[in-house]
Amino acid sequence: MLIEIYGKQECDLCHSARKKVNHLLDKWSMDDEVDVEFMDTDTVDGAAEADFFDVFEIPGVLVKPKDNQDEVVARWEGEAPSSDELRESLEQLQKTV
């Protein structure tokens, strides 16, 4: 599984979202199963990826299967996901893999 977090380096909400996602994965012992990537929207590549996935508000958090990174199974924009929502989306994705 893959979690992409779209944002900017100097964005406090983006930093908070990264920290929260990583903390939850560690707490649930899922940090070996789930890769987390930060996509800096101030870079050309990060902006292009955000545009491709229609991420208009930061932070943007997308959950994807590793084998099909064009498929988005859950998304949050402008905020970090709640722990319940994130866990539910990861569990749903585990069932389909």
Side-chain angles (χ1 to χ4, degrees), residues 2-89:
L2 172 66
I3 297 176
E4 290 181 340
I5 301 173
Y6 291 82
K8 298 181 180 192
Q9 293 292 341
E10 69 281 350
C11 170
D12 290 337
L13 285 175
C14 303
H15 176 72
S16 178
R18 290 170 74 178
K19 190 173 178 178
K20 180 178 184 178
V21 166
N22 284 310
H23 170 75
L24 291 172
L25 294 175
D26 183 53
K27 178 180 172 182
W28 300 328
S29 300
M30 295 183 79
D31 44 354
D32 289 337
E33 301 171 47
V34 181
D35 291 333
V36 178
E37 293 182 10
F38 180 72
M39 309 297 285
D40 188 347
T41 58
D42 277 338
T43 66
V44 173
D45 289 342
E49 286 289 313
D51 189 47
F52 181 80
F53 288 106
D54 296 326
V55 176
F56 300 113
E57 288 185 60
I58 59 171
V61 181
L62 307 182
V63 176
K64 302 175 177 184
K66 273 189 189 174
D67 62 345
N68 183 4
Q69 295 182 15
D70 288 337
E71 178 186 357
V72 177
V73 296
R75 72 183 303 134
W76 297 268
E77 288 191 54
E79 63 184 0
S82 73
S83 58
D84 291 339
E85 291 173 325
L86 182 60
R87 185 167 195 136
E88 182 179 320
S89 68

